[in-house]
Amino acid sequence: RLLTVTGVQTCALPIFVPIIFWRIPKLRELFVAVLHISPKSCPWPYFQRGAGMASHLERMQIMMEEIGPSMPEIEAVIQNEEKNWAIQFEDQSIITLEWSEKPERVVLTSLLGIPSESMQLSVYEALLCYNLLWKDTGGVKMALSGPGGELVLLYELFVSQLSLNELQTVLSNFVSIAQVWSVYVTGENNQPVSNLPGPMDMLHLGA
């Protein structure tokens, strides 16, 4: 289980604390008080959000700070590296976001589990067929993490015109797709996956 934390740089102390958001207000207040975080006096772009044109990565960092408080179903946002984040939802599902360049985008991934030996062929066939339907899925893809490994749901989200509302939509639909496929992959439901969000629901980004 992920802790409710993610990358916050402070002005008062020369340390990197891996915290962005957790849904426990009293602990958050305690953390701010102990570290003497002062957003008004802090010269770093992390807190100064109104000065100049932010890069796409800086804008993404700001949105990752804002996404937790803006979505009640999110329990935690963790930044484990400078350009990697993980989001834990209230059902304990986890989505990771990894920054990638040329073109600038974040790659969303979610682990779906490992199918039983008796279901491997049918599951792999279903996922390969799903990959072929890229026009209908909006570019959501399936992959295998390695021989005998977990199946992975992936989506490349381009960030040049991305807004917080659009990020919320993509995350909500991505976790819904992951939940449905995880049930199928792990054998809890042997029926073909249906009623997934369509491409316009998944990617209504106005790009």
Side-chain angles (χ1 to χ4, degrees):
R1 175 186 172 117
L2 291 177
L3 298 175
T4 45
V5 291
T6 293
V8 169
Q9 287 177 312
T10 73
C11 294
L13 298 177
I15 58 175
F16 182 87
V17 183
I19 295 181
I20 278 183
F21 170 78
W22 62 86
R23 203 167 288 285
I24 308 176
K26 290 298 181 182
L27 287 181
R28 181 164 62 245
E29 293 168 7
L30 175 62
F31 183 86
V32 171
V34 169
L35 293 185
H36 309 292
I37 297 174
S38 177
K40 292 184 179 180
S41 62
C42 182
W44 298 348
Y46 201 94
F47 288 107
Q48 296 296 329
R49 301 183 180 181
M53 290 291 292
S55 70
H56 291 151
L57 177 57
E58 289 170 337
R59 286 179 53 247
M60 190 68 205
Q61 178 70 62
I62 291 171
M63 283 191 285
M64 291 307 297
E65 293 179 61
E66 297 172 340
I67 197 67
S70 68
M71 295 182 69
E73 61 268 42
I74 290 179
E75 282 193 349
V77 182
I78 296 177
Q79 186 165 352
N80 53 8
E81 293 181 18
E82 182 181 355
K83 301 177 182 179
N84 293 334
W85 302 269
I87 298 175
Q88 178 177 289
F89 290 80
E90 58 188 357
D91 66 350
Q92 305 306 301
S93 59
I94 296 171
I95 293 177
T96 60
L97 298 88
E98 183 177 354
W99 180 263
S100 186
E101 298 179 343
K102 297 181 180 179
E104 291 179 318
R105 62 200 187 279
V106 285
V107 181
L108 283 66
T109 60
S110 180
L111 298 178
L112 302 178
I114 302 174
S116 63
E117 288 188 14
S118 62
M119 285 191 61
Q120 277 187 358
L121 180 58
S122 61
V123 168
Y124 292 165
E125 280 185 349
L127 298 190
L128 286 172
C129 291
Y130 186 83
N131 279 346
L132 186 61
L133 301 175
W134 57 272
K135 290 183 179 179
D136 298 316
T137 64
V140 179
K141 295 173 283 190
M142 304 289 184
L144 187 62
S145 61
E150 291 201 60
L151 291 161
V152 184
L153 185 72
L154 304 101
Y155 176 63
E156 293 179 276
L157 177 59
F158 296 91
V159 301
S160 60
Q161 303 295 324
L162 185 66
S163 70
L164 180 62
N165 287 339
E166 292 162 349
L167 179 59
Q168 291 171 345
T169 298
V170 170
L171 287 174
S172 179
N173 284 313
F174 188 80
V175 75
S176 296
I177 293 172
Q179 289 166 348
V180 175
W181 274 107
S182 180
V183 170
Y184 174 66
V185 165
T186 56
E188 296 177 38
N189 180 4
N190 58 10
Q191 298 300 315
V193 176
S194 60
N195 298 323
L196 294 176
M200 291 308 294
D201 298 323
M202 178 70 193
L203 302 177
H204 194 61
L205 303 181

